[in-house]
Amino acid sequence: MEEKGKTGMENERMIDTWLRKHRLIYLGATRHPLILSISDGTVDISSFKTWLGQDYIFVRAFVPFVASLIVKAWKESDVSSDMEVILGGMAALNDELEWFKKEAFKWGVQLSEPLVPQKVNKDYCRFLESLMSQEANYTVAITAFWAIEAVYQESFALCLADGSRTPPELKETCQRWGNEGFGKYCSSLKDIADRRLKKASDDELKKAEVALLTVLEHEVEFWNMSRGGS
Ligand code: HMH
């Protein structure tokens, strides 16, 4: 007979449990006024341009974070496909950096040195760095990684949904994160995180939940910053 509370089922689909528990903050990140303004066509283009320049800086910091996850997956993962999923994400970032340069040129946004991150952006990058260290836990880091990607996927998919009035010149941006392939990639990351969380200790679970919330807070701040706030 199985011990009570040790059926192995209690951490099944942890991410969905957390998303239900923290639904309002998740919606705050994925249905932010900036995203709503893109999808209803009222977006202030200067906010978009601020976002574009700052997100280029963020993605540059995101690359070493993903690299650190590849190292962790290679060393620690019990499933070899983890590393390939993350490597696919890394490959997409290579293309993404080129896209940012092209898009910035199109909008007249300067990406030349020195790149100046705003405080909110710096804080977010510092959080990424805290997850890059060798001591940082793989399960916690992969949960954060999923959340970072999922916020953009959900946000930009909304801008492409039926009935949205996204300006045509912003459609390509929305496609980048809102497309179906990116959605599938996010599901794969979620599966990896859920699988790890199923076997996680209480301490890891607590840290992963905090990391998820921290990502959501940084994402809300990042949208706010782009709108000229904080
Ligand atoms: C701020 N969050 C931010 N920028 C991005 N490019 C992503 C997430 C990618 O998903």
Short mmCIF file of all heavy atoms in Angstrom, two decimals, residues 55 58-59 62 96 124 148-149 152 177 182 219 222, ligand 1:
data_model
loop_
_atom_site.label_atom_id
_atom_site.label_comp_id
_atom_site.label_asym_id
_atom_site.label_seq_id
_atom_site.Cartn_x
_atom_site.Cartn_y
_atom_site.Cartn_z
N ASP A 55 14.32 45.24 -25.60
CA ASP A 55 14.23 43.78 -25.69
C ASP A 55 15.44 43.19 -26.41
O ASP A 55 15.85 42.06 -26.13
CB ASP A 55 12.92 43.34 -26.37
CG ASP A 55 12.43 42.00 -25.83
OD1 ASP A 55 12.42 41.84 -24.59
OD2 ASP A 55 12.09 41.11 -26.63
N PHE A 58 17.78 42.74 -23.73
CA PHE A 58 17.38 41.59 -22.92
C PHE A 58 17.74 40.27 -23.60
O PHE A 58 18.29 39.36 -22.96
CB PHE A 58 15.87 41.65 -22.63
CG PHE A 58 15.37 40.45 -21.86
CD1 PHE A 58 15.50 40.40 -20.47
CD2 PHE A 58 14.81 39.36 -22.51
CE1 PHE A 58 15.08 39.29 -19.75
CE2 PHE A 58 14.39 38.24 -21.80
CZ PHE A 58 14.52 38.21 -20.42
N VAL A 59 17.45 40.17 -24.88
CA VAL A 59 17.71 38.91 -25.60
C VAL A 59 19.20 38.60 -25.62
O VAL A 59 19.60 37.44 -25.52
CB VAL A 59 17.07 38.93 -27.01
CG1 VAL A 59 17.53 37.73 -27.84
CG2 VAL A 59 15.55 38.94 -26.91
N PHE A 62 19.76 36.98 -22.56
CA PHE A 62 19.02 35.73 -22.53
C PHE A 62 19.86 34.59 -23.15
O PHE A 62 19.76 33.45 -22.73
CB PHE A 62 17.73 35.93 -23.33
CG PHE A 62 16.63 34.94 -23.08
CD1 PHE A 62 16.32 34.51 -21.79
CD2 PHE A 62 15.87 34.45 -24.14
CE1 PHE A 62 15.28 33.60 -21.56
CE2 PHE A 62 14.83 33.55 -23.92
CZ PHE A 62 14.54 33.12 -22.63
N GLU A 96 16.89 35.48 -34.06
CA GLU A 96 16.16 36.58 -33.42
C GLU A 96 17.00 37.85 -33.30
O GLU A 96 16.51 38.95 -33.52
CB GLU A 96 15.70 36.11 -32.04
CG GLU A 96 14.61 36.96 -31.44
CD GLU A 96 13.91 36.20 -30.33
OE1 GLU A 96 13.32 35.13 -30.63
OE2 GLU A 96 13.95 36.64 -29.19
N TYR A 124 16.02 42.67 -14.43
CA TYR A 124 15.59 41.40 -15.01
C TYR A 124 16.82 40.58 -15.44
O TYR A 124 16.91 39.37 -15.16
CB TYR A 124 14.66 41.66 -16.20
CG TYR A 124 13.75 40.51 -16.60
CD1 TYR A 124 12.79 40.67 -17.59
CD2 TYR A 124 13.87 39.25 -16.00
CE1 TYR A 124 11.95 39.62 -17.95
CE2 TYR A 124 13.03 38.20 -16.38
CZ TYR A 124 12.07 38.40 -17.36
OH TYR A 124 11.25 37.37 -17.73
N ILE A 148 9.35 32.59 -19.03
CA ILE A 148 9.81 33.73 -19.85
C ILE A 148 9.30 33.60 -21.28
O ILE A 148 8.79 34.55 -21.87
CB ILE A 148 11.36 33.82 -19.83
CG1 ILE A 148 11.85 34.16 -18.41
CG2 ILE A 148 11.86 34.84 -20.83
CD1 ILE A 148 13.35 33.96 -18.20
N GLU A 149 9.43 32.39 -21.83
CA GLU A 149 8.97 32.16 -23.21
C GLU A 149 7.45 32.19 -23.30
O GLU A 149 6.87 32.73 -24.24
CB GLU A 149 9.51 30.81 -23.72
CG GLU A 149 11.03 30.70 -23.77
CD GLU A 149 11.66 31.50 -24.90
OE1 GLU A 149 11.33 32.69 -25.07
OE2 GLU A 149 12.52 30.92 -25.61
N TYR A 152 5.65 35.65 -23.56
CA TYR A 152 5.67 36.27 -24.90
C TYR A 152 4.76 35.51 -25.86
O TYR A 152 4.08 36.10 -26.68
CB TYR A 152 7.11 36.34 -25.43
CG TYR A 152 7.74 37.69 -25.14
CD1 TYR A 152 7.50 38.31 -23.91
CD2 TYR A 152 8.52 38.36 -26.06
CE1 TYR A 152 8.05 39.55 -23.62
CE2 TYR A 152 9.07 39.61 -25.78
CZ TYR A 152 8.82 40.20 -24.56
OH TYR A 152 9.35 41.44 -24.28
N TRP A 177 6.64 35.50 -31.94
CA TRP A 177 6.38 34.76 -30.69
C TRP A 177 4.99 34.13 -30.64
O TRP A 177 4.73 33.27 -29.81
CB TRP A 177 6.59 35.66 -29.48
CG TRP A 177 8.02 36.06 -29.26
CD1 TRP A 177 8.97 35.30 -28.62
CD2 TRP A 177 8.66 37.26 -29.65
NE1 TRP A 177 10.17 35.99 -28.60
CE2 TRP A 177 10.01 37.20 -29.23
CE3 TRP A 177 8.23 38.42 -30.34
CZ2 TRP A 177 10.92 38.22 -29.46
CZ3 TRP A 177 9.15 39.44 -30.57
CH2 TRP A 177 10.48 39.33 -30.14
N PHE A 182 6.20 28.23 -32.18
CA PHE A 182 6.71 28.74 -30.91
C PHE A 182 5.82 28.24 -29.77
O PHE A 182 6.31 27.93 -28.67
CB PHE A 182 6.80 30.27 -30.92
CG PHE A 182 7.63 30.84 -29.81
CD1 PHE A 182 9.02 30.80 -29.86
CD2 PHE A 182 7.03 31.40 -28.69
CE1 PHE A 182 9.79 31.31 -28.83
CE2 PHE A 182 7.80 31.92 -27.64
CZ PHE A 182 9.18 31.86 -27.71
N GLU A 219 8.24 40.59 -16.02
CA GLU A 219 7.59 40.79 -17.33
C GLU A 219 6.61 41.96 -17.29
O GLU A 219 6.57 42.77 -18.22
CB GLU A 219 6.87 39.50 -17.76
CG GLU A 219 7.81 38.36 -18.16
CD GLU A 219 8.56 38.62 -19.47
OE1 GLU A 219 8.12 39.44 -20.29
OE2 GLU A 219 9.62 37.99 -19.67
N PHE A 222 8.56 45.05 -17.31
CA PHE A 222 9.18 45.28 -18.62
C PHE A 222 8.18 45.97 -19.57
O PHE A 222 8.51 46.92 -20.28
CB PHE A 222 9.67 43.96 -19.22
CG PHE A 222 10.79 44.10 -20.22
CD1 PHE A 222 12.11 43.98 -19.82
CD2 PHE A 222 10.52 44.35 -21.56
CE1 PHE A 222 13.15 44.13 -20.74
CE2 PHE A 222 11.55 44.49 -22.49
CZ PHE A 222 12.87 44.38 -22.08
C1 HMH B 1 11.26 40.64 -21.68
N1 HMH B 1 10.65 38.31 -22.07
C2 HMH B 1 11.23 39.41 -22.53
N2 HMH B 1 11.78 39.43 -23.75
C3 HMH B 1 11.77 38.33 -24.54
N3 HMH B 1 12.32 38.38 -25.78
C4 HMH B 1 11.18 37.15 -24.08
C5 HMH B 1 10.61 37.19 -22.81
C6 HMH B 1 11.21 35.92 -24.94
O1 HMH B 1 10.28 35.06 -24.74
#
